[in-house]
Amino acid sequence: MEFTEWIRGRTDEQLRALVSARPELITPVPAHLEGLASRAASPSAIARVLDRLDRFTLAVVETLAVREEPLPKDALRDLIAAALSDDDEARDPEPALTCALDKLRELALVYGCDDALRLGPGVRKVLDDPAGLGPCAADAFRHHAPEQLAEMADDIAPGTTGSGKERLAAALADPADLIADVSPEARAALDQLAWGPPTGRVPNARREVRIASARSPIEELLARGLLAATGEESVTLPREVALYLRGGRVHRGLLAVPPPLRGKARDQKLADRTAAGQAFSFVRSVEELCERWSVDPPGVLRTGGLGVRDLKRTAAELDVPEWVAALVVEVAHAAGLIAAGGGVDGEWLPTSGYDLWRVRPTADRWVTLASTWLHMDRVPGLVGDRDDRDRPLNALHTDLRRSSAPGVRAATLGVLAAEPGLAPDRDSVLERLAWEQPRRRGPLREQLTEFTLREAEQMGVTGLGALSVHGRLLAEGGDAAAALAPLLPEPVDHVLLQADLTAVAPGPLTSELNRWMTLTADVESKGGATVYRFSEESIRRALDAGHGAEELVSMLARHSATPVPQALSYLVTDVARRHGRIRVGTASAYIRCDDPALLDQITADRRSAALRLRRLAPTVIASRSSRAALVDSLRAMGYAPVAESLDGDVIISQLESRRTEGVAPVRAVSAPNGLDPEVAAAAVRALRAGDAAHLSRREPVDAPGGIPRGPATATISALQEAIKQGVRVWIGYLDSQGNATSRILEPARMEGGYLTAYDETRAAVHRFALHRITGVSGL
């Protein structure tokens, strides 16, 4: 109740700060402030807010957790000062400590005045081995038999009175003499456990051993209570022993400020221009991917995802490494630009959303892609790795989801934003993240950080390793498109045609001209200038798409800064002259030509034997091959046929691009402290009104002449305190028929909505549903 009253005494401004920093406390809004206090003390809510604390602030919480409460601020300051690293010895911890305590009070993790600081209820239970310290002696030996504890106490504390556990705990409160008596090997084992983790594994840990019969270093420690057996093969170091070995310090090497970033200084303008170039290239890669897949879509694997061969082919077509191709594919999918569709087996096709996306300005298109990357839970960097069953992880597969990915990307960009113009190295970024969010460390987090740095550079969020201005605005939710637009290269609407049947694009082409050039010519090389090469195959590809010879020459003349070379004009004219002279239909397939001599030449060619040709008329030949196979075979023989429909019309092979219905693109999620101020203010008003009504009708905890009754929050708090103190309580309980009864219990633990306790009225251990307990009273 003390914590609840402290919450009730907070000002409206302080409550707004609390619910803004911890929005999960008002989802939904509790009925009153007691409900808010109870929710703030729940393990899930505490774990969530602890995960957001930096290393120094978390160290303050851990120091309070391992010391007796209440703890004055002066004593806390001395403990923190002793824990500072050698680099911070001359630093006064007072400013950082004051700031940390203000933050912890705002988060309701610490309450009370500076003379009596206390942790919020439930915080100690959530902290596993705070500061690498094990349980106190009383908890470490609670599962030992009383006879064994009495024997240990007789050995290490002869002449003392009390229970074995009490005598043992009193002796371990000052373990200097006990530690001095052990061998150097045993002392070395203690030193290994001193700074955590405090647990170890030894065979037959529960063996009964006395000081006189100890033969090994481990037995020396077990006999003196310097190690406590917690299982058949596990031991732990009692907290009192560890603190003595640490010289009274709770932490070591503590930094009051974030570790500095190391790296190369970059000119910000140069970094911005470099990032803009990368951003433009990434947008073009996504556009080229969708254009290619609209014509020749890859299939969807039976298990979902994109095949390895299809990814390799996509990487070759985009002229990028495979990991970049995977990034392009994943971002385009998450943005809703491609999706699974098509036939029975499924194909990866562009969506109708792609048609809307591609007509927008380049800067806006990049913001869509970059924002999607920042907030999506898919990890393209895992493509090519193997899962737990040693199966490869394919692009677009559901196994690429990692819930922590958006948070890691945001945190990494936050580190880069801390020092503008600096390209920090990988190790310093990991060190800073480890300080900012120490409870979220792990191999996966390091891997995700490396992926973020690599992908941010590829997408143009960073340039030369330094965060760009538009990248900073993207992370902060600003107008990144406005900052990026002036830096983007200006698209050109012309090429330079050369006599060797090549065309040089002196810069990035406009979207329409780029699509037309990709259709008419093959990309030979990319870089500052893109080189395209015209060939019979590329010209025929354009003719197959419905363009005429005159149209092609006209387009070349209109978009070329140089005259159309005669060789290119001849190439277009020659291919167009031969294009369509032979028409292929379905007989299965047939060949039709107005020139009988040309058909004679085909039938006489030995290479046509496999086609099983049959002359139906002077101008018609039938074949058992399919139309597509017949067209391909004749082209391989050096002819230039075109396919025709049953009506005799030329089939335009690329007249329409295919589309499918897309999935909803990834939406940006609000930051943990991004609660709308108006929502916070309304929630506080509702809490105040509900609390006033609750106080006006609240019954006393101990109703005269009846069973205990009280609010649920007070009941939970009282049971938690009883478990902590190990005392008996009197409770009111409703049975399955709704009849009110009373029980005298010795609570043991509370989890999953149930209380496990020893029921003295029935002399047995029972589980009680918490929602059926009407109230609690002490005995």
Side-chain angles (χ1 to χ4, degrees):
M1 293 299 293
E2 183 180 354
F3 178 71
T4 302
E5 293 303 322
W6 180 81
I7 289 286
R8 186 172 283 122
R10 305 294 279 173
T11 65
D12 287 354
E13 182 179 356
Q14 291 169 333
L15 287 178
R16 285 195 296 270
L18 171 62
V19 299
S20 296
R22 301 175 66 180
E24 63 274 6
L25 300 184
I26 57 169
T27 310
V29 178
H32 41 68
L33 289 176
E34 285 188 15
L36 180 70
S38 177
R39 193 173 296 177
S42 65
S44 60
I46 293 174
R48 191 176 292 113
V49 70
L50 287 177
D51 287 344
R52 299 199 290 265
L53 297 183
D54 60 61
R55 186 70 194 92
F56 182 80
T57 307
L58 181 63
V60 174
V61 175
E62 291 176 332
T63 303
L64 289 171
V66 301
R67 292 297 182 179
E68 293 294 331
E69 289 185 344
L71 187 67
K73 182 180 178 181
D74 292 341
L76 178 62
R77 181 175 58 247
D78 294 340
L79 292 171
I80 295 297
L84 292 178
S85 67
D86 295 337
D87 296 336
D88 279 0
E89 281 186 353
R91 186 185 303 276
D92 182 9
E94 178 65 31
L97 178 60
T98 300
C99 182
L101 289 175
D102 290 342
K103 180 178 181 179
L104 293 173
R105 286 193 181 99
E106 179 183 297
L107 297 173
L109 292 175
V110 171
Y111 69 102
C113 61
D114 286 349
D115 293 335
L117 296 171
R118 298 177 182 273
L119 281 179
V123 176
R124 277 188 173 83
K125 294 182 180 179
V126 175
L127 289 171
D128 296 328
D129 298 335
L133 293 168
C136 59
D139 292 333
F141 290 97
R142 63 179 177 176
H143 296 299
H144 285 59
E147 298 79 6
Q148 185 180 4
L149 294 178
E151 291 178 354
M152 294 175 62
D154 291 339
D155 281 351
I156 66 175
T160 57
T161 59
S163 66
K165 183 166 66 172
E166 293 173 350
R167 296 164 59 198
L168 185 62
L172 291 177
D174 185 11
D177 294 337
L178 295 175
I179 294 175
D181 290 341
V182 301
S183 64
E185 293 80 5
R187 176 59 188 265
L190 289 178
D191 291 337
Q192 289 182 354
L193 300 175
W195 289 101
T199 58
R201 297 184 63 84
V202 297
N204 192 19
R206 292 192 181 278
R207 73 191 82 167
E208 293 188 7
V209 59
R210 305 289 293 270
I211 293 179
S213 61
R215 295 292 181 267
S216 66
I218 295 299
E219 290 184 351
E220 292 182 46
L221 300 177
L222 290 173
R224 290 171 173 80
L226 298 176
L227 283 181
T230 56
E232 294 299 330
E233 295 185 354
S234 59
V235 294
T236 188
L237 185 68
R239 181 172 299 176
E240 295 87 345
V241 179
L243 287 174
Y244 173 82
L245 294 172
R246 295 182 181 189
R249 292 183 297 170
V250 179
H251 301 85
R252 63 176 177 179
L254 184 63
L255 294 177
V257 295
L261 293 175
R262 304 179 302 274
K264 297 180 180 180
R266 304 292 190 188
D267 179 71
Q268 187 63 56
K269 293 183 178 180
L270 178 60
D272 292 343
R273 291 195 299 269
T274 303
Q278 289 290 95
F280 185 88
S281 298
F282 190 81
V283 171
R284 277 299 169 85
S285 295
V286 172
E287 183 179 355
E288 185 177 352
L289 171 81
C290 294
E291 289 294 328
R292 289 183 180 275
W293 284 14
S294 66
V295 176
D296 186 15
V300 179
L301 295 177
R302 182 179 302 176
T303 57
L306 180 69
V308 175
R309 292 183 179 178
D310 291 324
L311 180 63
K312 291 181 180 292
R313 187 191 67 177
T314 300
E317 291 174 344
L318 298 181
D319 193 23
V320 295
E322 286 188 32
W323 73 267
V324 178
L327 175 64
V328 171
V329 169
E330 286 287 345
V331 172
H333 177 258
L337 304 183
I338 59 174
V344 177
D345 293 332
E347 296 173 320
W348 293 109
L349 291 167
T351 66
S352 55
Y354 165 68
D355 297 309
L356 300 176
W357 173 82
R358 73 176 182 178
V359 299
R360 297 168 59 191
T362 303
D364 292 338
R365 289 192 286 169
W366 178 83
V367 168
T368 299
L369 298 176
S371 179
T372 298
W373 166 78
L374 184 61
H375 298 103
M376 70 180 186
D377 61 354
R378 301 184 61 81
V379 183
L382 294 177
V383 173
D385 289 353
R386 293 188 171 272
D387 60 11
D388 297 337
R389 300 181 182 178
D390 199 35
R391 297 176 302 183
L393 294 173
N394 298 89
L396 301 178
H397 198 277
T398 54
D399 289 345
L400 294 181
R401 296 184 181 277
R402 300 292 185 274
S403 59
S404 58
V408 173
R409 293 192 188 103
T412 303
L413 294 187
V415 170
L416 298 181
E419 296 190 30
L422 180 69
D425 57 50
R426 165 190 171 277
D427 292 339
S428 65
V429 172
L430 292 175
E431 289 175 6
R432 176 66 70 89
L433 287 175
W435 188 91
E436 290 184 350
Q437 297 175 338
R439 283 171 55 91
R440 294 182 177 178
R441 301 176 63 180
L444 176 61
R445 185 173 180 82
E446 293 185 4
Q447 191 179 32
L448 292 178
T449 302
E450 295 175 3
F451 290 156
T452 299
L453 294 173
R454 182 177 69 175
E455 293 168 1
E457 186 73 17
Q458 185 65 36
M459 294 191 62
V461 177
T462 62
L464 302 176
L467 187 66
S468 62
V469 172
H470 52 272
R472 184 190 306 275
L473 291 173
L474 175 75
E476 297 173 352
D479 191 356
L484 175 62
L487 301 174
L488 291 173
E490 190 68 27
V492 297
D493 59 354
H494 65 275
V495 295
L496 304 176
L497 297 177
Q498 302 186 101
D500 60 349
L501 299 182
T502 61
V504 178
L509 300 177
T510 60
S511 295
E512 291 299 326
L513 181 56
N514 181 63
R515 281 194 291 271
W516 189 84
M517 287 296 299
T518 302
L519 174 67
T520 313
D522 298 316
V523 176
E524 192 168 79
S525 65
K526 292 183 178 181
T530 304
V531 178
Y532 297 87
R533 178 166 293 280
F534 297 94
S535 63
E536 288 190 19
E537 182 180 353
S538 67
I539 296 298
R540 186 172 61 241
R541 188 168 62 232
L543 295 173
D544 287 343
H547 296 286
E550 294 182 0
E551 181 185 358
L552 291 177
V553 175
S554 175
M555 282 287 290
L556 290 171
R558 184 163 65 252
H559 291 289
S560 176
T562 59
V564 179
Q566 191 177 51
L568 181 56
S569 299
Y570 284 170
L571 176 65
V572 174
T573 303
D574 182 61
V575 174
R577 177 178 55 80
R578 294 184 292 113
H579 185 266
R581 290 181 63 190
I582 299 176
R583 300 192 174 195
V584 176
T586 301
S588 296
Y590 64 85
I591 303 173
R592 182 172 65 85
C593 181
D594 295 334
D595 185 357
L598 185 55
L599 294 185
D600 292 339
Q601 181 181 346
I602 292 175
T603 55
D605 196 322
R606 293 181 180 179
R607 294 174 293 177
S608 66
L611 300 177
R612 299 182 182 183
L613 301 179
R614 181 182 177 187
R615 193 74 168 265
L616 299 180
T619 59
V620 179
I621 297 177
S623 173
R624 294 185 182 181
S625 301
S626 66
R627 180 173 58 192
L630 188 55
V631 171
D632 292 341
S633 298
L634 290 175
R635 286 177 175 173
M637 294 165 60
Y639 301 100
V642 295
E644 71 176 17
S645 66
L646 294 177
D647 298 326
D649 299 325
V650 176
I651 295 177
I652 304 301
S653 60
Q654 295 185 1
L655 182 62
E656 292 184 0
S657 298
R658 301 172 62 186
R659 296 290 184 267
T660 187
E661 292 297 325
V663 297
V666 175
R667 301 296 182 187
V669 295
S670 59
N673 57 350
L675 191 66
D676 191 297
E678 295 183 359
V679 175
V684 171
R685 288 196 299 270
L687 284 168
R688 289 293 191 194
D691 196 59
H694 173 68
L695 291 175
S696 66
R697 63 174 181 269
R698 184 172 64 179
E699 297 182 17
V701 174
D702 297 313
I707 63 174
R709 296 184 180 274
T713 53
T715 299
I716 298 297
S717 299
L719 289 174
Q720 290 175 338
E721 186 65 23
I723 294 173
K724 177 181 177 181
Q725 300 294 336
V727 298
R728 296 181 302 163
V729 293
W730 179 36
I731 71 167
Y733 193 71
L734 300 177
D735 59 20
S736 58
Q737 287 76 36
N739 300 319
T741 61
S742 62
R743 312 284 182 90
I744 297 178
L745 308 178
E746 184 176 343
R749 64 178 181 275
M750 190 164 47
E751 59 185 4
Y754 287 88
L755 170 70
T756 302
Y758 177 76
D759 187 352
E760 293 192 358
T761 57
R762 287 165 174 76
V765 176
H766 285 288
R767 298 179 73 206
F768 300 88
L770 290 177
H771 68 277
R772 293 182 179 273
I773 300 177
T774 62
V776 178
S777 178
L779 293 177

